[in-house]
Amino acid sequence: MAALGRFETPADSATVWAMRVSEEFQPPPSFVTVLDEIETSRAAAFRFERDRRHYIAAHALRRALLTWRFGGSPAGWSFSHRPLERPRVLAAVPGVAPGVSLTHARGLVAAAVVADGAAIGVDAEAIAHASVDQSLASAVCGVEELRRLAALESDAAAWRRAFFRLWVAKEAYAKAVGLGLSLHFPDIAFTDQARFGGWRLFELDAGPDHA
């Protein structure tokens, strides 16, 4: 596993760490032992070994990032694990209540934190491995977004990248507001890739294979 990069937004005290995960990656003991009982149980429940490894890597990365930013120890952080709720940091360092988010896509994991309990969301998708058709595009995009995508239909690679940029932005927003897939994505119209409503959007360059 190799570090992809660190992204910081000084005005909001937000930090994102991303790491590439190879097909041969095996989580080292230092990744596995820091997870809590619920994380360990969820990791074991994955049907595919690759997904289990990505899950462990993402959750260990979140703990490492929190420790780097705020102190404490990776194993000392605890989180809420309520279904359909944005994860919350419960304890580790007195007086510290950061906002957190994470994502794992094939070949890539990322974690994001923001100070003072503010909301944050991060998402990634593997462009090359995901199946996309018009029905999925219609389920994700609004009318104007579909119109912009239609202008790219002669260039399949450009169309896929443009679609995935929209998709991960909406997934990240859904994580930040804590509503997940209950949101109607076509109603979230990103006419400006820098801002949406009162939210600020940032894009980390994850290379040609991921958005």
PDB file of all heavy atoms in Angstrom, residues 36-66:
ATOM      1  N   ASP A  36     -11.930  -1.646  16.538  1.00  0.00           N
ATOM      2  CA  ASP A  36     -12.740  -2.045  17.681  1.00  0.00           C
ATOM      3  C   ASP A  36     -13.557  -3.289  17.328  1.00  0.00           C
ATOM      4  O   ASP A  36     -13.478  -3.828  16.215  1.00  0.00           O
ATOM      5  CB  ASP A  36     -13.630  -0.895  18.165  1.00  0.00           C
ATOM      6  CG  ASP A  36     -14.656  -0.436  17.127  1.00  0.00           C
ATOM      7  OD1 ASP A  36     -15.062  -1.249  16.262  1.00  0.00           O
ATOM      8  OD2 ASP A  36     -15.069   0.736  17.178  1.00  0.00           O
ATOM      9  N   GLU A  37     -14.354  -3.755  18.265  1.00  0.00           N
ATOM     10  CA  GLU A  37     -15.090  -5.009  18.087  1.00  0.00           C
ATOM     11  C   GLU A  37     -16.076  -4.935  16.927  1.00  0.00           C
ATOM     12  O   GLU A  37     -16.210  -5.891  16.145  1.00  0.00           O
ATOM     13  CB  GLU A  37     -15.824  -5.361  19.385  1.00  0.00           C
ATOM     14  CG  GLU A  37     -16.560  -6.690  19.337  1.00  0.00           C
ATOM     15  CD  GLU A  37     -17.214  -7.038  20.662  1.00  0.00           C
ATOM     16  OE1 GLU A  37     -16.850  -6.429  21.681  1.00  0.00           O
ATOM     17  OE2 GLU A  37     -18.085  -7.927  20.674  1.00  0.00           O
ATOM     18  N   ILE A  38     -16.764  -3.818  16.786  1.00  0.00           N
ATOM     19  CA  ILE A  38     -17.749  -3.679  15.713  1.00  0.00           C
ATOM     20  C   ILE A  38     -17.050  -3.629  14.361  1.00  0.00           C
ATOM     21  O   ILE A  38     -17.481  -4.277  13.394  1.00  0.00           O
ATOM     22  CB  ILE A  38     -18.612  -2.428  15.934  1.00  0.00           C
ATOM     23  CG1 ILE A  38     -19.493  -2.617  17.182  1.00  0.00           C
ATOM     24  CG2 ILE A  38     -19.489  -2.153  14.713  1.00  0.00           C
ATOM     25  CD1 ILE A  38     -20.328  -1.414  17.522  1.00  0.00           C
ATOM     26  N   GLU A  39     -15.956  -2.873  14.252  1.00  0.00           N
ATOM     27  CA  GLU A  39     -15.206  -2.815  12.994  1.00  0.00           C
ATOM     28  C   GLU A  39     -14.680  -4.203  12.607  1.00  0.00           C
ATOM     29  O   GLU A  39     -14.744  -4.605  11.437  1.00  0.00           O
ATOM     30  CB  GLU A  39     -14.045  -1.827  13.123  1.00  0.00           C
ATOM     31  CG  GLU A  39     -14.473  -0.376  13.182  1.00  0.00           C
ATOM     32  CD  GLU A  39     -13.323   0.551  13.518  1.00  0.00           C
ATOM     33  OE1 GLU A  39     -12.504   0.192  14.397  1.00  0.00           O
ATOM     34  OE2 GLU A  39     -13.227   1.633  12.907  1.00  0.00           O
ATOM     35  N   THR A  40     -14.174  -4.932  13.592  1.00  0.00           N
ATOM     36  CA  THR A  40     -13.644  -6.268  13.332  1.00  0.00           C
ATOM     37  C   THR A  40     -14.747  -7.204  12.848  1.00  0.00           C
ATOM     38  O   THR A  40     -14.547  -7.994  11.909  1.00  0.00           O
ATOM     39  CB  THR A  40     -12.993  -6.838  14.603  1.00  0.00           C
ATOM     40  OG1 THR A  40     -11.931  -5.966  15.015  1.00  0.00           O
ATOM     41  CG2 THR A  40     -12.443  -8.224  14.366  1.00  0.00           C
ATOM     42  N   SER A  41     -15.916  -7.116  13.475  1.00  0.00           N
ATOM     43  CA  SER A  41     -17.038  -7.964  13.079  1.00  0.00           C
ATOM     44  C   SER A  41     -17.511  -7.636  11.666  1.00  0.00           C
ATOM     45  O   SER A  41     -17.791  -8.539  10.863  1.00  0.00           O
ATOM     46  CB  SER A  41     -18.189  -7.788  14.073  1.00  0.00           C
ATOM     47  OG  SER A  41     -19.331  -8.501  13.664  1.00  0.00           O
ATOM     48  N   ARG A  42     -17.579  -6.351  11.344  1.00  0.00           N
ATOM     49  CA  ARG A  42     -18.020  -5.952  10.008  1.00  0.00           C
ATOM     50  C   ARG A  42     -17.001  -6.354   8.950  1.00  0.00           C
ATOM     51  O   ARG A  42     -17.376  -6.748   7.840  1.00  0.00           O
ATOM     52  CB  ARG A  42     -18.282  -4.446   9.967  1.00  0.00           C
ATOM     53  CG  ARG A  42     -19.523  -4.041  10.761  1.00  0.00           C
ATOM     54  CD  ARG A  42     -19.772  -2.543  10.716  1.00  0.00           C
ATOM     55  NE  ARG A  42     -20.998  -2.194  11.404  1.00  0.00           N
ATOM     56  CZ  ARG A  42     -21.438  -0.958  11.590  1.00  0.00           C
ATOM     57  NH1 ARG A  42     -20.729   0.069  11.109  1.00  0.00           N
ATOM     58  NH2 ARG A  42     -22.565  -0.729  12.232  1.00  0.00           N
ATOM     59  N   ALA A  43     -15.733  -6.267   9.281  1.00  0.00           N
ATOM     60  CA  ALA A  43     -14.694  -6.691   8.333  1.00  0.00           C
ATOM     61  C   ALA A  43     -14.827  -8.178   8.028  1.00  0.00           C
ATOM     62  O   ALA A  43     -14.705  -8.606   6.872  1.00  0.00           O
ATOM     63  CB  ALA A  43     -13.313  -6.376   8.893  1.00  0.00           C
ATOM     64  N   ALA A  44     -15.087  -8.963   9.046  1.00  0.00           N
ATOM     65  CA  ALA A  44     -15.203 -10.412   8.863  1.00  0.00           C
ATOM     66  C   ALA A  44     -16.438 -10.803   8.056  1.00  0.00           C
ATOM     67  O   ALA A  44     -16.486 -11.895   7.478  1.00  0.00           O
ATOM     68  CB  ALA A  44     -15.240 -11.097  10.222  1.00  0.00           C
ATOM     69  N   ALA A  45     -17.429  -9.924   8.004  1.00  0.00           N
ATOM     70  CA  ALA A  45     -18.686 -10.247   7.327  1.00  0.00           C
ATOM     71  C   ALA A  45     -18.631 -10.068   5.812  1.00  0.00           C
ATOM     72  O   ALA A  45     -19.556 -10.502   5.110  1.00  0.00           O
ATOM     73  CB  ALA A  45     -19.817  -9.385   7.899  1.00  0.00           C
ATOM     74  N   PHE A  46     -17.565  -9.441   5.292  1.00  0.00           N
ATOM     75  CA  PHE A  46     -17.498  -9.231   3.846  1.00  0.00           C
ATOM     76  C   PHE A  46     -17.391 -10.571   3.120  1.00  0.00           C
ATOM     77  O   PHE A  46     -16.656 -11.476   3.533  1.00  0.00           O
ATOM     78  CB  PHE A  46     -16.296  -8.348   3.491  1.00  0.00           C
ATOM     79  CG  PHE A  46     -16.553  -6.888   3.664  1.00  0.00           C
ATOM     80  CD1 PHE A  46     -16.142  -6.225   4.822  1.00  0.00           C
ATOM     81  CD2 PHE A  46     -17.210  -6.168   2.684  1.00  0.00           C
ATOM     82  CE1 PHE A  46     -16.388  -4.874   4.989  1.00  0.00           C
ATOM     83  CE2 PHE A  46     -17.460  -4.810   2.845  1.00  0.00           C
ATOM     84  CZ  PHE A  46     -17.042  -4.158   3.990  1.00  0.00           C
ATOM     85  N   ARG A  47     -18.112 -10.690   2.021  1.00  0.00           N
ATOM     86  CA  ARG A  47     -18.103 -11.916   1.233  1.00  0.00           C
ATOM     87  C   ARG A  47     -16.785 -12.094   0.493  1.00  0.00           C
ATOM     88  O   ARG A  47     -16.270 -13.207   0.389  1.00  0.00           O
ATOM     89  CB  ARG A  47     -19.273 -11.895   0.245  1.00  0.00           C
ATOM     90  CG  ARG A  47     -19.346 -13.113  -0.660  1.00  0.00           C
ATOM     91  CD  ARG A  47     -20.518 -13.011  -1.618  1.00  0.00           C
ATOM     92  NE  ARG A  47     -20.585 -14.144  -2.520  1.00  0.00           N
ATOM     93  CZ  ARG A  47     -21.451 -14.257  -3.528  1.00  0.00           C
ATOM     94  NH1 ARG A  47     -22.348 -13.292  -3.728  1.00  0.00           N
ATOM     95  NH2 ARG A  47     -21.438 -15.323  -4.306  1.00  0.00           N
ATOM     96  N   PHE A  48     -16.254 -10.977  -0.020  1.00  0.00           N
ATOM     97  CA  PHE A  48     -15.038 -11.045  -0.824  1.00  0.00           C
ATOM     98  C   PHE A  48     -13.838 -10.560  -0.008  1.00  0.00           C
ATOM     99  O   PHE A  48     -13.908  -9.524   0.663  1.00  0.00           O
ATOM    100  CB  PHE A  48     -15.182 -10.223  -2.097  1.00  0.00           C
ATOM    101  CG  PHE A  48     -16.273 -10.724  -3.017  1.00  0.00           C
ATOM    102  CD1 PHE A  48     -17.451 -10.010  -3.165  1.00  0.00           C
ATOM    103  CD2 PHE A  48     -16.110 -11.914  -3.713  1.00  0.00           C
ATOM    104  CE1 PHE A  48     -18.456 -10.474  -3.991  1.00  0.00           C
ATOM    105  CE2 PHE A  48     -17.107 -12.390  -4.557  1.00  0.00           C
ATOM    106  CZ  PHE A  48     -18.289 -11.675  -4.691  1.00  0.00           C
ATOM    107  N   GLU A  49     -12.748 -11.299  -0.094  1.00  0.00           N
ATOM    108  CA  GLU A  49     -11.553 -10.979   0.665  1.00  0.00           C
ATOM    109  C   GLU A  49     -11.013  -9.597   0.322  1.00  0.00           C
ATOM    110  O   GLU A  49     -10.561  -8.864   1.200  1.00  0.00           O
ATOM    111  CB  GLU A  49     -10.484 -12.042   0.404  1.00  0.00           C
ATOM    112  CG  GLU A  49      -9.182 -11.831   1.136  1.00  0.00           C
ATOM    113  CD  GLU A  49      -9.308 -11.938   2.649  1.00  0.00           C
ATOM    114  OE1 GLU A  49     -10.341 -12.437   3.134  1.00  0.00           O
ATOM    115  OE2 GLU A  49      -8.365 -11.522   3.342  1.00  0.00           O
ATOM    116  N   ARG A  50     -11.065  -9.207  -0.957  1.00  0.00           N
ATOM    117  CA  ARG A  50     -10.577  -7.891  -1.363  1.00  0.00           C
ATOM    118  C   ARG A  50     -11.339  -6.782  -0.640  1.00  0.00           C
ATOM    119  O   ARG A  50     -10.748  -5.801  -0.172  1.00  0.00           O
ATOM    120  CB  ARG A  50     -10.725  -7.724  -2.873  1.00  0.00           C
ATOM    121  CG  ARG A  50     -10.210  -6.369  -3.393  1.00  0.00           C
ATOM    122  CD  ARG A  50     -10.481  -6.200  -4.875  1.00  0.00           C
ATOM    123  NE  ARG A  50     -11.901  -6.174  -5.163  1.00  0.00           N
ATOM    124  CZ  ARG A  50     -12.519  -6.965  -6.042  1.00  0.00           C
ATOM    125  NH1 ARG A  50     -11.829  -7.871  -6.704  1.00  0.00           N
ATOM    126  NH2 ARG A  50     -13.822  -6.875  -6.247  1.00  0.00           N
ATOM    127  N   ASP A  51     -12.656  -6.931  -0.521  1.00  0.00           N
ATOM    128  CA  ASP A  51     -13.456  -5.913   0.159  1.00  0.00           C
ATOM    129  C   ASP A  51     -13.115  -5.843   1.646  1.00  0.00           C
ATOM    130  O   ASP A  51     -13.094  -4.763   2.238  1.00  0.00           O
ATOM    131  CB  ASP A  51     -14.944  -6.219  -0.025  1.00  0.00           C
ATOM    132  CG  ASP A  51     -15.376  -6.141  -1.475  1.00  0.00           C
ATOM    133  OD1 ASP A  51     -14.728  -5.418  -2.251  1.00  0.00           O
ATOM    134  OD2 ASP A  51     -16.365  -6.813  -1.837  1.00  0.00           O
ATOM    135  N   ARG A  52     -12.846  -6.993   2.245  1.00  0.00           N
ATOM    136  CA  ARG A  52     -12.455  -7.013   3.658  1.00  0.00           C
ATOM    137  C   ARG A  52     -11.158  -6.245   3.863  1.00  0.00           C
ATOM    138  O   ARG A  52     -11.025  -5.446   4.798  1.00  0.00           O
ATOM    139  CB  ARG A  52     -12.305  -8.460   4.133  1.00  0.00           C
ATOM    140  CG  ARG A  52     -11.993  -8.586   5.630  1.00  0.00           C
ATOM    141  CD  ARG A  52     -11.681 -10.027   6.002  1.00  0.00           C
ATOM    142  NE  ARG A  52     -10.360 -10.419   5.496  1.00  0.00           N
ATOM    143  CZ  ARG A  52      -9.226 -10.180   6.154  1.00  0.00           C
ATOM    144  NH1 ARG A  52      -9.231  -9.527   7.316  1.00  0.00           N
ATOM    145  NH2 ARG A  52      -8.068 -10.564   5.638  1.00  0.00           N
ATOM    146  N   ARG A  53     -10.189  -6.475   2.982  1.00  0.00           N
ATOM    147  CA  ARG A  53      -8.895  -5.801   3.104  1.00  0.00           C
ATOM    148  C   ARG A  53      -9.043  -4.298   2.935  1.00  0.00           C
ATOM    149  O   ARG A  53      -8.411  -3.516   3.659  1.00  0.00           O
ATOM    150  CB  ARG A  53      -7.934  -6.357   2.059  1.00  0.00           C
ATOM    151  CG  ARG A  53      -7.580  -7.822   2.241  1.00  0.00           C
ATOM    152  CD  ARG A  53      -6.838  -8.346   1.031  1.00  0.00           C
ATOM    153  NE  ARG A  53      -6.558  -9.771   1.115  1.00  0.00           N
ATOM    154  CZ  ARG A  53      -6.078 -10.486   0.115  1.00  0.00           C
ATOM    155  NH1 ARG A  53      -5.821  -9.897  -1.052  1.00  0.00           N
ATOM    156  NH2 ARG A  53      -5.857 -11.776   0.261  1.00  0.00           N
ATOM    157  N   HIS A  54      -9.865  -3.867   1.976  1.00  0.00           N
ATOM    158  CA  HIS A  54     -10.083  -2.431   1.771  1.00  0.00           C
ATOM    159  C   HIS A  54     -10.766  -1.808   2.986  1.00  0.00           C
ATOM    160  O   HIS A  54     -10.422  -0.689   3.396  1.00  0.00           O
ATOM    161  CB  HIS A  54     -10.926  -2.198   0.519  1.00  0.00           C
ATOM    162  CG  HIS A  54     -10.164  -2.291  -0.763  1.00  0.00           C
ATOM    163  ND1 HIS A  54      -9.626  -3.461  -1.228  1.00  0.00           N
ATOM    164  CD2 HIS A  54      -9.846  -1.350  -1.697  1.00  0.00           C
ATOM    165  CE1 HIS A  54      -9.014  -3.250  -2.385  1.00  0.00           C
ATOM    166  NE2 HIS A  54      -9.123  -1.971  -2.680  1.00  0.00           N
ATOM    167  N   TYR A  55     -11.725  -2.506   3.552  1.00  0.00           N
ATOM    168  CA  TYR A  55     -12.422  -2.007   4.735  1.00  0.00           C
ATOM    169  C   TYR A  55     -11.434  -1.804   5.881  1.00  0.00           C
ATOM    170  O   TYR A  55     -11.423  -0.752   6.539  1.00  0.00           O
ATOM    171  CB  TYR A  55     -13.518  -2.996   5.146  1.00  0.00           C
ATOM    172  CG  TYR A  55     -14.255  -2.624   6.406  1.00  0.00           C
ATOM    173  CD1 TYR A  55     -15.437  -1.891   6.359  1.00  0.00           C
ATOM    174  CD2 TYR A  55     -13.766  -3.002   7.667  1.00  0.00           C
ATOM    175  CE1 TYR A  55     -16.120  -1.554   7.522  1.00  0.00           C
ATOM    176  CE2 TYR A  55     -14.444  -2.664   8.829  1.00  0.00           C
ATOM    177  CZ  TYR A  55     -15.612  -1.941   8.741  1.00  0.00           C
ATOM    178  OH  TYR A  55     -16.273  -1.599   9.897  1.00  0.00           O
ATOM    179  N   ILE A  56     -10.595  -2.797   6.144  1.00  0.00           N
ATOM    180  CA  ILE A  56      -9.612  -2.684   7.218  1.00  0.00           C
ATOM    181  C   ILE A  56      -8.660  -1.520   6.966  1.00  0.00           C
ATOM    182  O   ILE A  56      -8.362  -0.732   7.870  1.00  0.00           O
ATOM    183  CB  ILE A  56      -8.832  -4.008   7.361  1.00  0.00           C
ATOM    184  CG1 ILE A  56      -9.749  -5.106   7.891  1.00  0.00           C
ATOM    185  CG2 ILE A  56      -7.628  -3.825   8.293  1.00  0.00           C
ATOM    186  CD1 ILE A  56      -9.133  -6.490   7.886  1.00  0.00           C
ATOM    187  N   ALA A  57      -8.193  -1.395   5.722  1.00  0.00           N
ATOM    188  CA  ALA A  57      -7.259  -0.317   5.397  1.00  0.00           C
ATOM    189  C   ALA A  57      -7.887   1.050   5.624  1.00  0.00           C
ATOM    190  O   ALA A  57      -7.259   1.953   6.191  1.00  0.00           O
ATOM    191  CB  ALA A  57      -6.794  -0.444   3.950  1.00  0.00           C
ATOM    192  N   ALA A  58      -9.140   1.234   5.197  1.00  0.00           N
ATOM    193  CA  ALA A  58      -9.805   2.528   5.346  1.00  0.00           C
ATOM    194  C   ALA A  58     -10.016   2.884   6.809  1.00  0.00           C
ATOM    195  O   ALA A  58      -9.790   4.033   7.228  1.00  0.00           O
ATOM    196  CB  ALA A  58     -11.144   2.518   4.606  1.00  0.00           C
ATOM    197  N   HIS A  59     -10.427   1.919   7.615  1.00  0.00           N
ATOM    198  CA  HIS A  59     -10.700   2.209   9.023  1.00  0.00           C
ATOM    199  C   HIS A  59      -9.423   2.411   9.818  1.00  0.00           C
ATOM    200  O   HIS A  59      -9.381   3.240  10.738  1.00  0.00           O
ATOM    201  CB  HIS A  59     -11.574   1.095   9.608  1.00  0.00           C
ATOM    202  CG  HIS A  59     -13.002   1.180   9.180  1.00  0.00           C
ATOM    203  ND1 HIS A  59     -14.017   1.566  10.014  1.00  0.00           N
ATOM    204  CD2 HIS A  59     -13.578   0.970   7.960  1.00  0.00           C
ATOM    205  CE1 HIS A  59     -15.164   1.575   9.353  1.00  0.00           C
ATOM    206  NE2 HIS A  59     -14.915   1.216   8.099  1.00  0.00           N
ATOM    207  N   ALA A  60      -8.365   1.690   9.459  1.00  0.00           N
ATOM    208  CA  ALA A  60      -7.075   1.934  10.107  1.00  0.00           C
ATOM    209  C   ALA A  60      -6.520   3.295   9.710  1.00  0.00           C
ATOM    210  O   ALA A  60      -5.924   4.008  10.535  1.00  0.00           O
ATOM    211  CB  ALA A  60      -6.087   0.822   9.739  1.00  0.00           C
ATOM    212  N   LEU A  61      -6.720   3.676   8.450  1.00  0.00           N
ATOM    213  CA  LEU A  61      -6.255   4.987   7.990  1.00  0.00           C
ATOM    214  C   LEU A  61      -6.981   6.105   8.723  1.00  0.00           C
ATOM    215  O   LEU A  61      -6.366   7.116   9.096  1.00  0.00           O
ATOM    216  CB  LEU A  61      -6.484   5.109   6.478  1.00  0.00           C
ATOM    217  CG  LEU A  61      -5.998   6.405   5.819  1.00  0.00           C
ATOM    218  CD1 LEU A  61      -4.479   6.505   5.889  1.00  0.00           C
ATOM    219  CD2 LEU A  61      -6.462   6.471   4.356  1.00  0.00           C
ATOM    220  N   ARG A  62      -8.292   5.951   8.931  1.00  0.00           N
ATOM    221  CA  ARG A  62      -9.046   6.962   9.682  1.00  0.00           C
ATOM    222  C   ARG A  62      -8.470   7.140  11.086  1.00  0.00           C
ATOM    223  O   ARG A  62      -8.294   8.275  11.566  1.00  0.00           O
ATOM    224  CB  ARG A  62     -10.518   6.551   9.766  1.00  0.00           C
ATOM    225  CG  ARG A  62     -11.366   7.495  10.618  1.00  0.00           C
ATOM    226  CD  ARG A  62     -12.834   7.111  10.623  1.00  0.00           C
ATOM    227  NE  ARG A  62     -13.092   5.837  11.266  1.00  0.00           N
ATOM    228  CZ  ARG A  62     -14.321   5.348  11.468  1.00  0.00           C
ATOM    229  NH1 ARG A  62     -15.372   6.030  11.051  1.00  0.00           N
ATOM    230  NH2 ARG A  62     -14.490   4.176  12.055  1.00  0.00           N
ATOM    231  N   ARG A  63      -8.141   6.052  11.746  1.00  0.00           N
ATOM    232  CA  ARG A  63      -7.568   6.130  13.091  1.00  0.00           C
ATOM    233  C   ARG A  63      -6.179   6.774  13.080  1.00  0.00           C
ATOM    234  O   ARG A  63      -5.844   7.568  13.956  1.00  0.00           O
ATOM    235  CB  ARG A  63      -7.516   4.731  13.709  1.00  0.00           C
ATOM    236  CG  ARG A  63      -8.888   4.166  14.036  1.00  0.00           C
ATOM    237  CD  ARG A  63      -8.830   2.710  14.478  1.00  0.00           C
ATOM    238  NE  ARG A  63     -10.130   2.252  14.939  1.00  0.00           N
ATOM    239  CZ  ARG A  63     -10.612   2.423  16.159  1.00  0.00           C
ATOM    240  NH1 ARG A  63      -9.846   3.030  17.074  1.00  0.00           N
ATOM    241  NH2 ARG A  63     -11.803   1.994  16.494  1.00  0.00           N
ATOM    242  N   ALA A  64      -5.380   6.433  12.065  1.00  0.00           N
ATOM    243  CA  ALA A  64      -4.050   7.026  11.963  1.00  0.00           C
ATOM    244  C   ALA A  64      -4.135   8.527  11.722  1.00  0.00           C
ATOM    245  O   ALA A  64      -3.358   9.309  12.292  1.00  0.00           O
ATOM    246  CB  ALA A  64      -3.272   6.353  10.831  1.00  0.00           C
ATOM    247  N   LEU A  65      -5.070   8.949  10.890  1.00  0.00           N
ATOM    248  CA  LEU A  65      -5.234  10.372  10.599  1.00  0.00           C
ATOM    249  C   LEU A  65      -5.696  11.139  11.834  1.00  0.00           C
ATOM    250  O   LEU A  65      -5.186  12.230  12.134  1.00  0.00           O
ATOM    251  CB  LEU A  65      -6.230  10.554   9.448  1.00  0.00           C
ATOM    252  CG  LEU A  65      -6.643  11.984   9.102  1.00  0.00           C
ATOM    253  CD1 LEU A  65      -5.429  12.858   8.818  1.00  0.00           C
ATOM    254  CD2 LEU A  65      -7.594  11.985   7.898  1.00  0.00           C
ATOM    255  N   LEU A  66      -6.652  10.590  12.566  1.00  0.00           N
ATOM    256  CA  LEU A  66      -7.117  11.240  13.791  1.00  0.00           C
ATOM    257  C   LEU A  66      -5.973  11.393  14.798  1.00  0.00           C
ATOM    258  O   LEU A  66      -5.836  12.440  15.439  1.00  0.00           O
ATOM    259  CB  LEU A  66      -8.257  10.426  14.405  1.00  0.00           C
ATOM    260  CG  LEU A  66      -9.619  10.567  13.729  1.00  0.00           C
ATOM    261  CD1 LEU A  66     -10.561   9.461  14.194  1.00  0.00           C
ATOM    262  CD2 LEU A  66     -10.231  11.935  14.012  1.00  0.00           C
TER     263      LEU A  66
END
